[in-house]
Amino acid sequence: MTDSRPSASVGGLPGPDSQHYPDVAPFGSLYAALRDAANTAGYQLRVDPHRTIGWHRTGAWAEQAPRDVNVVMGSRSRIFTIQFSLRQTILAAGSTDDLHAVVGSLHLWLGGASLRELGANWPFVRFGELSEARERGDAAEIAALKWRQMQSSTARHLADLHAFIDAAIEEPRLRALFPTTSHSTLWFSRTTDWPYTRDLPLVTPLGEARYQVRERDGHLHEPTDAAQSVALILAALNTPSEASPN
């Protein structure tokens, strides 16, 4: 077995805390420790430094397209937080203090296991109904489920959008789009997987069931109610766009 331990001065970045991570610190980085653990377990598993520069030594990344996994170490206590992705979309996540559980779950997911198989073998992994729909790959089911989840959600950032969502979900052409939010602004994608399309207007709540629709060219419509905002989005669906899907 080759020594996969990097120099302690890699990139000048802080390395694993030896108090909380005595099994990782001697390797100088999480990815090197995971490589060693994978080799010991007999797994053909390539693990690389995390793609975020600041986490090169305390994070790790592994890929078997179209799947990938990100792992990050906790800074104040021993914990490994893991995200399991399919086609660049996170489907499951979980945390454990067991380095061997990290390696085992990576190996299983990248080897093609289903979400339910992953969760059954590694109970710390969590996923929901939307993730299972994404795994099945039914775009209509994914969009419909996301609309229902947003409609029933009590999340604070969605509170002022509920009147619009209630109106939009009654319109089949909007219901077929994938809705998502950023800073309380709702936007739509013609695809349910990343990269999402960005050629349709955005809807920003103004309070008291009033909304402002912004076209992708920056044009702002006058504030209006939920029904009229839906009408503006529907009009945009009928307008050819030269916007890039990215």
Side-chain angles (χ1 to χ4, degrees):
M1 182 183 302
T2 59
D3 186 356
S4 58
R5 305 183 187 193
S7 165
S9 61
V10 171
L13 298 170
D17 174 7
S18 59
Q19 177 183 354
H20 295 124
Y21 301 97
D23 49 350
V24 178
F27 292 88
S29 70
L30 176 60
Y31 76 87
L34 289 174
R35 284 180 180 177
D36 182 78
N39 287 337
T40 299
Y43 298 149
Q44 297 298 314
L45 185 64
R46 174 177 174 175
V47 185
D48 293 309
H50 199 283
R51 289 177 165 180
T52 302
I53 293 177
W55 291 342
H56 269 22
R57 298 184 66 191
T58 57
W61 175 79
E63 178 184 31
Q64 183 62 52
R67 298 172 177 232
D68 66 79
V69 183
N70 284 289
V71 188
V72 178
M73 299 166 55
S75 60
R76 297 184 180 181
S77 61
R78 181 184 174 87
I79 197 74
F80 302 99
T81 299
I82 316 169
Q83 295 178 328
F84 304 86
S85 298
L86 175 66
R87 296 186 294 273
Q88 301 182 60
T89 300
I90 298 170
L91 297 194
S95 296
T96 178
D97 61 2
D98 186 347
L99 184 69
H100 298 289
V102 175
V103 170
S105 62
L106 264 66
H107 172 69
L108 193 63
W109 178 247
L110 296 178
S114 68
L115 286 170
R116 294 202 174 190
E117 289 172 332
L118 180 65
N121 283 273
W122 302 105
F124 70 86
V125 178
R126 297 288 182 267
F127 54 89
E129 189 179 6
L130 183 60
S131 291
E132 291 191 278
R134 287 188 178 281
E135 185 177 43
R136 290 189 290 272
D138 186 328
E141 179 189 12
I142 294 167
L145 181 56
K146 183 63 182 289
W147 277 110
R148 292 198 301 272
Q149 289 183 344
M150 292 178 70
Q151 187 179 39
S152 62
S153 174
T154 58
R156 185 174 179 180
H157 73 286
L158 291 176
D160 288 336
L161 281 166
H162 278 159
F164 176 84
I165 292 170
D166 288 343
I169 206 169
E170 296 300 320
E171 170 51 56
R173 286 184 294 166
L174 286 189
R175 199 167 59 240
L177 299 174
F178 184 76
T180 190
T181 57
S182 176
H183 298 93
S184 297
T185 292
L186 188 146
W187 51 280
F188 312 88
S189 173
R190 299 178 192 270
T191 64
T192 59
D193 280 331
W194 185 264
Y196 299 126
T197 62
R198 297 178 179 269
D199 60 323
L200 295 173
L202 312 178
V203 180
T204 301
L206 303 177
E208 299 182 352
R210 302 286 288 177
Y211 302 92
Q212 187 162 57
V213 175
R214 177 165 65 88
E215 301 286 349
R216 282 299 182 175
D217 63 5
H219 173 70
L220 288 173
H221 291 276
E222 290 295 321
T224 187
D225 60 17
Q228 288 301 312
S229 297
V230 166
L232 290 171
I233 305 298
L234 291 175
L237 291 178
N238 296 326
T239 303
S241 173
E242 296 179 358
S244 166
N246 298 315

